[in-house]
Amino acid sequence: MFAKHSQRCFIVAQTHRHHLRRFGFSSTAIYNNMSTTNTHFGKKKRRTCNSNKLRLATKKMSMCGWLWILSTMMIFVSSHSHSHSHLHDSCENKQILAPEVLQPYRLADKTQDSPDSFRLKFALPEGRQYLGNDPILPTCIKIEYKHSEDDDVPAVGKSYSPISHPSAAGYFELLVKAYPYEPGGTSGVGAYLCNLNKGDSIMAALKAPRRMHGAPTILDRNWSHLGFIAGGTGIAPLVQLIYIILDDDSNNSIIKVLIIDRLEEDILMKDTLDQLARDYPDRFSVTYSLTGVKEEDINTNPTGGTDISIYEYGRGSIEMAKRALPPPTHSLSAGEQTMIFVCGRDGFVETWAGSVGRAPPSADGKKGNKIQGPLMGFLADAGYDASEVFK
């Protein structure tokens, strides 16, 4: 019995010697208490006395063992907590790239809008709340794409204006038409984007805010009547402007939209635009003009009375401008002002408002900034002034 206790205590004491000293126990004293050579007692008393001391030593050893386990657990918890805190700090301190820096954006959702166009929803990188730096300024991004893995083939870039509100948190949406690749052009970017699958990423960078007659803002311009003329995908940048205006409770502008497409199935975002007309019946109206059918074949009421859309025929005219757009400023009441936006391919813009010029290229070879140029076309003939048209 004594030998077993003695051996057990010795092993415990030997293993935890540094812990005994740490917690105030003298290992020397305990080892001395294990001795059986005490000459002040008889054999029986010596055994009893030493057994009592041994039990005391064992009790202290057991306490020390528990303290050692407890201290080990505390060290582990402290270390784990420190590691977790360090990881948390690392996540918080993770570098967030500025929107203007080329970086990846992951495709989160994809829906077809027409036979050859898609609405693409991209997630923002971690740590970014908005696509741009200001949630009420219109945005535009430039997407880079290489149609070949050959290092000698340069990347091409194409700009897209999101159809989502700039304040959309954590994502942005694009409306993209799948124009096929053409050597020397940028149209292949559209086909590339439309062929993406969920989870794929693009490389893009935010462009500088577009200045519209001197400023990038749209809510503080005193435009009481707004007209939007779009050809094909030209509706995309205009939709974002429409969302910004309608979302502002302090804005009461009247909005009229004119969209020109070849066939009804080519009209992009028609459901969205028709819904806006229902939601804002006193402020928002949309007219669709089709160029690929005869005027007498246009079904001006395709859903039997439930469609509120207005239909026209042709590429445009002075009369169409007067019917589908707000009147020029000089025809409005004092204090009211009209602004017309035109967006589409070069030929479309030229037909309605005259061509858009460009400043000389910059030193690095990039295209010069767009220049409005003189107002011409249907809008000029309808009596609008260059100061109330942006193309």
Side-chain angles (χ1 to χ4, degrees):
M1 177 78 177
F2 176 78
K4 291 181 180 179
H5 280 295
S6 178
Q7 184 179 12
R8 184 185 305 164
C9 290
F10 179 79
I11 292 172
V12 171
Q14 184 68 23
T15 305
H16 304 300
R17 178 178 298 175
H18 66 286
H19 294 293
L20 291 171
R21 291 173 179 170
R22 179 181 177 186
F23 293 107
F25 295 96
S26 171
S27 58
T28 303
I30 292 176
Y31 293 154
N32 288 338
N33 283 331
M34 295 180 194
S35 173
T36 60
T37 59
N38 191 331
T39 58
H40 296 287
F41 300 94
K43 183 176 181 181
K44 181 177 180 180
K45 290 184 177 180
R46 285 202 306 271
R47 183 177 299 171
T48 301
C49 179
N50 285 320
S51 295
N52 290 336
K53 291 182 178 182
L54 181 60
R55 282 194 293 272
L56 177 61
T58 302
K59 184 176 181 180
K60 289 184 177 182
M61 291 292 185
S62 298
M63 182 184 297
C64 185
W66 281 108
L67 288 172
W68 176 79
I69 294 173
L70 180 61
S71 65
T72 302
M73 291 176 64
M74 292 175 67
I75 293 171
F76 172 77
V77 171
S78 175
S79 175
H80 178 73
S81 175
H82 176 74
S83 298
H84 177 74
S85 175
H86 179 72
L87 178 61
H88 179 70
D89 291 342
S90 297
C91 291
E92 284 189 346
N93 295 330
K94 184 178 179 180
Q95 184 181 14
I96 300 174
L97 297 177
E100 296 83 3
V101 176
L102 189 69
Q103 57 194 287
Y105 294 89
R106 178 179 55 83
L107 181 63
D109 198 13
K110 176 181 180 180
T111 57
Q112 193 160 7
D113 195 84
S114 77
D116 60 353
S117 64
F118 290 84
R119 296 176 67 160
L120 307 176
K121 182 177 182 179
F122 291 93
L124 297 180
E126 184 179 355
R128 292 259 306 277
Q129 184 175 10
Y130 308 124
L131 174 61
N133 297 306
D134 189 324
I136 62 171
L137 281 184
T139 54
C140 184
I141 64 168
K142 186 172 185 179
I143 297 174
E144 284 200 0
Y145 160 67
K146 285 189 67 172
H147 71 88
S148 172
E149 296 182 359
D150 189 343
D151 293 338
D152 295 332
V153 176
V156 296
K158 185 172 177 61
S159 299
Y160 287 90
S161 295
I163 58 174
S164 49
H165 195 290
S167 66
Y171 74 93
F172 66 92
E173 283 188 278
L174 300 180
L175 177 65
V176 181
K177 196 175 184 69
Y179 293 115
Y181 171 74
E182 295 177 2
T186 62
S187 54
V189 179
Y192 154 70
L193 292 174
C194 290
N195 287 326
L196 292 173
N197 296 313
K198 291 182 182 180
D200 292 343
S201 293
I202 61 171
M203 296 298 293
L206 182 74
K207 296 186 67 176
R210 181 187 292 111
R211 302 182 70 82
M212 298 167 285
H213 288 305
T217 57
I218 190 171
L219 293 177
D220 58 352
R221 308 298 290 272
N222 196 35
W223 295 330
S224 54
H225 295 264
L226 288 149
F228 296 93
I229 309 172
T233 54
I235 187 59
L238 304 183
V239 162
Q240 189 181 68
L241 301 182
I242 292 169
Y243 279 150
I244 294 173
I245 295 164
L246 293 177
D247 190 59
D248 182 50
D249 294 336
S250 64
N251 193 297
N252 297 310
S253 300
I254 305 299
I255 298 173
K256 291 189 174 185
V257 179
L258 172 60
I259 296 178
I260 301 175
D261 275 298
R262 197 173 73 87
L263 301 172
E264 188 169 2
E265 66 181 17
D266 297 324
I267 299 173
L268 302 177
M269 301 190 69
K270 186 176 187 300
D271 290 343
T272 298
L273 296 167
D274 287 347
Q275 189 59 51
L276 289 175
R278 296 186 185 94
D279 294 341
Y280 301 90
D282 298 327
R283 296 186 57 197
F284 184 90
S285 64
V286 57
T287 299
Y288 303 103
S289 184
L290 304 179
T291 65
V293 296
K294 296 179 180 180
E295 187 171 5
E296 58 268 22
D297 294 334
I298 293 178
N299 187 355
T300 58
N301 200 1
T303 56
T306 60
D307 196 326
I308 61 172
S309 305
I310 304 169
Y311 287 86
E312 294 267 359
Y313 169 78
R315 299 181 181 276
S317 65
I318 298 174
E319 292 72 22
M320 186 185 294
K322 291 180 178 179
R323 289 191 297 266
L325 300 172
T329 299
H330 64 76
S331 300
L332 300 175
S333 301
E336 294 185 315
Q337 185 176 352
T338 289
M339 178 57 63
I340 307 294
F341 292 87
V342 186
C343 190
R345 289 197 159 190
D346 292 344
F348 176 84
V349 174
E350 185 174 356
T351 297
W352 274 92
S355 60
V356 176
R358 281 194 179 275
S362 58
D364 58 3
K366 292 183 178 180
K367 293 181 180 179
N369 294 328
K370 289 185 177 181
I371 299 174
Q372 289 294 294
L375 179 63
M376 302 175 69
F378 296 136
L379 292 178
D381 295 339
Y384 294 90
D385 184 77
S387 64
E388 52 193 15
V389 175
F390 185 81
K391 51 190 176 179

